[in-house]
């Protein structure tokens, strides 16, 4: 579910960075309020633990395939939502920088899609209310399964929304969602099984390590309220989904309509136009485009020829720069000798 | 090579590369961080039909690969995760966007084909830009840059800790999975009956390790934050490098430089 930089536009990336920064700010404040210096190394080691366990392949019963862990729900069940969220940010940053798994600009989106839902929704709306009256194995399994499935569904939906708003795919939103959600339902179920197996083990071996065992009285949301919040969330998502689905009834019809003369901007209304105008504003020179120009082919040929010339000059200049730098360093070393 | 071995190898290799004494490695980490984010932002801001504009953006990675003496092979290897994802999203564009935009020989070029191509180019360029940053900058350097832009200490510290203990826990995970594989020959992955106990054991060991780490840090005077060390001053070379790329990339993003130069010859 890690989004690449290529799948988003700067406006979406910036918005998601702001949203994730707000959640991170709240988390930093909460962790600081705990004033527990022991927690920082614990968060670091737990982040490394989640990263390491992501490398383990778990055989999915009844299939020939295997799944792996994402870790958001597990981290929040062990560290709490705030410390868990900050730890997940660290894990996502490591994945982005060292393994190109997710982009640097898309980090805000990835934090929101994977860490925010996994830690905040998973811990505050599911784990804590369910564990309020004591932890049992059954509750752990139920919370893990529900948490992982729901948070992955929310994350997958956000991926579709962010990609669609960015306008990088011609795939109709409804088709994109219909493809993403079932896949992540299966992934969420597997993650839920792994998370519940691990948390049940921890519950049997060291129950005090689970978050919520000592602060059950502090739970502010009752089960009823939780169901209410989830219902509102579901209604909201359903509403947005149906809105977009009605705008784009069928991908084939859409593409035929486009061939018969409709332009891209005229292809959709409502939210699409709003976000398209945002994207247009972030586009520095929208007229410098391949399509819609009589001299498109000519411009392209000139562009490619120019590209080759400039790249050639750039390569030569870079080699020259490196040669002089290395030469200068050698001279300096010799002088020191 | 197994997944865990591959991960350990990649981390160690990048770490070694970042610590080399090269001109680009010695640039101020904040300069490189700012440039990377600036470059990625400009690259993804291109319209989906602007192939020529994106080609102009190739200059930055090409120059950095040469000046930084970086391996293009390693960078291409990093595309194995991003490119399939980008392809999945972009591969249907030609089917949905059939707006004719030109012709090449007898083949009609459609908007969908161009948008698929730009998506892939963006994917490659943005991955390369991140690679240039991490291959020429140590994690400590990146953390120092984060602090300069006021990322909270708690986040920087725990990022640094994740990085430091990642290889330790990867080694431990490797030993455990190897031991499991030796007792369960021919089995692919970990059986469901061992999911809880295996990962749970690793988890408990990690938590105990965190306690030991904390005690060791306390003995060295840890009070909740790491000392940042001696601040690195920005040289004139750093500022010049930053300004050069800021201006050049802005010009490349704003004006059809390649088309203008090409027009002189074609």
């Amino acid at each position: 579910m890690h989004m690449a930089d290529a799948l988003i536009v700067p406006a979406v990336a910036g918005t998601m960075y702001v949203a994730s920064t707000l959640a991170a700010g709240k988390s930093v404040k909460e962790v600081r309020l705990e004033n527990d210096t022991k927690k920082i190394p614990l968060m670091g080691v737990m982040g490394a633990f989640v990263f390491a366990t992501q490398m383990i392949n778990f055989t999915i019963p009844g299939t020939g395939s295997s799944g792996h862990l994402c870790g958001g729900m597990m981290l929040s069940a062990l560290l709490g939502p705030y410390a868990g969220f900050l730890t997940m940010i660290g894990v996502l940053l490591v994945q982005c920088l060292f393994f190109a798994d997710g982009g640097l600009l898309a980090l805000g989106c990835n934090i929101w899609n994977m860490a925010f839902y996994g830690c905040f929704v998973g811990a505050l709306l599911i784990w804590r209310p369910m564990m309020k009256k004591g932890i049992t194995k059954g509750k752990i399994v139920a919370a893990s399964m529900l948490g992982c499935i729901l948070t992955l569904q929310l994350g997958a939906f956000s991926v579709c929304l962010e990609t669609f708003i960015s306008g990088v795919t011609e795939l109709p939103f409804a088709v994109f969602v219909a493809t993403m959600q079932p896949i992540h339902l299966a992934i969420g179920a597997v993650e839920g099984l792994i998370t519940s197996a691990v948390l049940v083990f921890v519950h049997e071996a060291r129950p005090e390590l689970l978050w919520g065992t000592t602060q059950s009285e502090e739970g502010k949301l009752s089960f009823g309220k939780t169901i209410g919040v989830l219902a509102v969330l579901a209604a909201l998502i359903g509403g947005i989904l149906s809105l977009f689905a009605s705008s784009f009834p069928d991908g084939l019809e859409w593409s035929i309509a486009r061939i018969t003369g409709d332009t891209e901007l005229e292809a959709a209304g409502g939210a699409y136009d709003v976000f398209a105008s945002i994207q247009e504003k972030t586009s520095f020179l929208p007229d410098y485009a391949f399509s819609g120009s009589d001299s498109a082919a000519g411009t392209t040929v000139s562009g490619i020829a120019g590209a080759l010339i400039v790249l050639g000059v750039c390569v030569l200049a870079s080699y020259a720069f490196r040669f002089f730098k290395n030469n200068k360093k050698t001279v300096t070393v010799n002088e020191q000798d | 090579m197994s997944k865990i071995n591959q991960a350990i190898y990649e981390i160690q290799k990048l770490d070694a590369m970042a610590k080399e004494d090269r001109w680009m490695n010695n640039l101020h980490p904040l300069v490189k961080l700012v440039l990377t984010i600036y470059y990625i932002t400009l690259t993804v801001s291109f319209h989906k039909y602007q192939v020529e504009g994106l080609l102009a953006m190739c200059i930055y990675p090409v120059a950095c690969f040469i000046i930084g003496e970086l391996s293009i092979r390693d960078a291409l290897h990093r595309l194995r995760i991003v490119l399939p994802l980008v392809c999945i999203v972009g591969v249907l564009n030609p089917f949905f966007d059939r707006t004719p935009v030109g012709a090449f020989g007898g083949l009609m070029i459609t908007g969908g084909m161009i948008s698929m191509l730009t998506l892939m180019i963006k994917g490659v360029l943005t991955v390369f830009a991140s690679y240039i940053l991490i291959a020429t900058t140590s994690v400590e350097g990146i953390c120092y840059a984060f602090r300069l832009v006021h990322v909270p200490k708690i986040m920087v510290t725990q990022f640094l800790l994740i990085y430091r203990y990642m290889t330790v826990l990867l080694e431990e995970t490797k030993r455990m999975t190897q031991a499991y594989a030796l007792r369960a020959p021919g089995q692919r992955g970990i059986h469901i009956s061992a999911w809880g106990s295996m990962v749970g054991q690793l988890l408990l060991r990690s938590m105990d390790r965190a306690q030991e780490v904390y005690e060791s840090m306390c003995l060295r005077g840890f009070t909740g934050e790491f000392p940042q060390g001696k601040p690195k001053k920005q040289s004139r070379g750093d500022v010049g490098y930053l300004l050069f790329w800021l201006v050049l990339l802005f010009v490349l993003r704003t004006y059809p430089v390649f088309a203008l130069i090409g027009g002189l010859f074609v």
Side-chain angles (χ1 to χ4, degrees), chain A residues 2-10 24 28 31-32 37-38 40-49 51-61 64-66 68 74 78 86-87 89-91 93-94 96-101 104-105 163 167-172 176 190 193-194 197-198 201-202 205-206 209 251-252 255 258-259 264 272 282-285 288-291 296 299-307 309-311 314-315 318-319 321-322 325-326 329, chain B residues 3-4 7 10-11 14 21-23 36-37 40-42 44-45 47-53 55 58-59 62-63 66-67 69 78 81-82 85-86 89 92-93 95-99 101 114-115 119 122-123 126-127 130 133-134 139 142 146 152-155 157-159 161-163 165-166 169-170 173 177 188-192 195-204 206-208 210-211 213-214 217 222-224 250 253-256 258-259 261-263 265-266:
Chain A
H2 294 74
M3 286 186 84
D5 286 332
L7 299 181
I8 51 164
V9 291
V28 168
V31 173
R32 272 185 191 150
T37 49
K38 201 188 282 184
I40 296 165
L42 181 63
M43 285 160 65
V45 176
M46 285 306 293
F49 161 79
F51 184 81
T53 47
Q54 283 175 347
M55 299 287 160
I56 301 175
N57 286 325
F58 298 92
T59 312
I60 300 168
S65 62
S66 58
H68 73 88
M74 188 194 285
L78 291 162
L86 295 179
T87 308
I89 293 177
V91 174
L93 189 58
V94 165
C96 155
L97 285 174
F98 284 88
F99 302 97
D101 201 0
L104 205 55
L105 194 69
T163 310
V168 295
T169 179
E170 301 297 333
L171 199 64
F176 197 11
V190 174
L193 284 173
I194 301 169
V198 177
F201 178 84
V202 174
R206 304 258 291 270
L209 292 178
L252 190 60
S255 62
R258 296 186 71 159
I259 294 168
E264 186 203 344
Y272 189 92
T282 60
S283 180
F284 288 33
L285 196 67
Y288 175 43
F290 198 101
S291 90
T299 311
T300 309
V301 172
S302 302
I304 292 168
I309 294 161
V310 176
L311 271 176
C314 171
V315 167
S318 302
Y319 272 116
F321 185 84
R322 192 172 92 181
K325 276 287 162 195
N326 287 346
K329 196 187 277 181
Chain B
K3 208 169 159 186
I4 299 176
E10 280 182 33
I11 293 165
L14 282 170
D21 183 25
R22 286 180 179 155
W23 186 81
T36 306
I37 293 169
I40 294 173
T41 308
L42 289 187
V44 300
S45 72
H47 189 264
K48 60 184 175 181
Y49 295 147
Q50 283 181 275
V51 183
E52 314 96 280
L55 284 176
C58 293
I59 285 181
V62 168
I66 297 168
I67 296 167
E69 297 174 53
R78 282 167 71 89
I81 296 171
V82 174
L85 178 74
V86 170
V89 175
L92 291 171
N93 284 6
F95 296 101
F96 287 104
D97 181 3
R98 296 185 181 183
T99 318
V101 291
I114 302 300
S115 63
L119 195 61
K122 281 180 187 179
T126 52
V127 168
S130 303
L133 173 71
I134 194 67
V139 169
I142 291 174
F146 282 154
K153 271 182 188 167
I154 193 169
M155 291 175 73
T157 304
Q158 65 99 11
F159 170 62
L161 280 166
I162 291 176
Y163 168 71
Y165 287 96
M166 206 161 56
L169 288 180
L170 279 173
T173 309
T177 47
R188 190 184 165 193
I190 311 293
H191 191 263
I192 191 166
W195 284 4
S197 55
M198 188 169 167
V199 184
Q201 286 289 353
L202 182 64
L203 173 76
L204 295 182
S206 306
M207 286 197 145
D208 291 339
Q211 179 64 27
V213 168
Y214 172 68
M217 284 161 74
F222 178 71
T223 54
F250 181 78
R253 176 64 188 86
T254 315
Y255 301 103
F258 279 18
I261 295 171
F265 298 90
V266 179

Side-chain angles (χ1 to χ4, degrees), chain A residues 267-278:
Chain A
Y272 189 92
D273 283 344
V274 174
F275 289 112
S277 71
I278 294 170

Side-chain angles (χ1 to χ4, degrees), chain A residues 82-299:
Chain A
Y82 306 110
F85 182 70
L86 295 179
T87 308
M88 271 303 286
I89 293 177
V91 174
L92 290 170
L93 189 58
V94 165
Q95 287 173 335
C96 155
L97 285 174
F98 284 88
F99 302 97
D101 201 0
L104 205 55
L105 194 69
L107 188 64
C109 296
N110 288 327
I111 290 171
W112 188 265
N113 302 343
M114 284 182 274
F116 178 80
Y117 293 130
C119 297
F120 283 92
V121 177
L124 294 175
L125 297 182
I126 296 168
W127 180 267
R128 190 162 71 175
M130 285 181 82
M131 304 302 157
K132 199 178 172 186
K133 290 177 182 168
I135 296 180
T136 61
K137 272 190 204 177
K139 281 184 184 177
I140 291 174
V141 174
S144 303
M145 292 298 294
L146 182 64
C148 290
I149 290 172
L150 184 72
T151 57
L152 255 85
Q153 285 295 301
L154 289 169
F157 182 77
S158 296
V159 170
C160 297
L161 202 59
E162 288 151 9
T163 310
F164 177 73
I165 291 170
S166 298
V168 295
T169 179
E170 301 297 333
L171 199 64
F173 183 71
V175 177
F176 197 11
V177 170
T179 313
M180 283 286 281
Q181 301 300 133
I183 294 170
H184 285 86
L185 188 68
I187 294 171
V190 174
E191 166 137 15
L193 284 173
I194 301 169
T195 305
S196 57
V198 177
L199 294 178
V200 165
F201 178 84
V202 174
H203 176 61
E204 285 176 351
R206 304 258 291 270
E208 75 281 2
L209 292 178
L210 293 175
W211 181 73
T213 46
T214 52
Q215 11 172 301
S216 53
E217 321 74 53
E218 292 173 18
K220 286 174 188 169
L221 279 175
S222 66
F223 190 72
K225 279 183 185 170
T226 306
I227 295 295
V229 172
L230 290 177
V232 170
L233 210 62
L236 196 68
I237 291 168
I240 296 167
L241 249 171
S242 61
L243 180 74
F244 283 106
S246 62
S247 299
F248 304 100
D250 179 35
L252 190 60
E253 286 173 25
W254 191 40
S255 62
I256 289 168
R258 296 186 71 159
I259 294 168
T260 54
D262 281 348
T263 63
E264 186 203 344
L265 284 172
E266 289 164 5
Y272 189 92
D273 283 344
V274 174
F275 289 112
S277 71
I278 294 170
Q279 191 190 350
E280 201 177 326
K281 277 174 191 165
T282 60
S283 180
F284 288 33
L285 196 67
D287 291 331
Y288 175 43
F290 198 101
S291 90
S293 167
D294 291 339
S295 59
T299 311

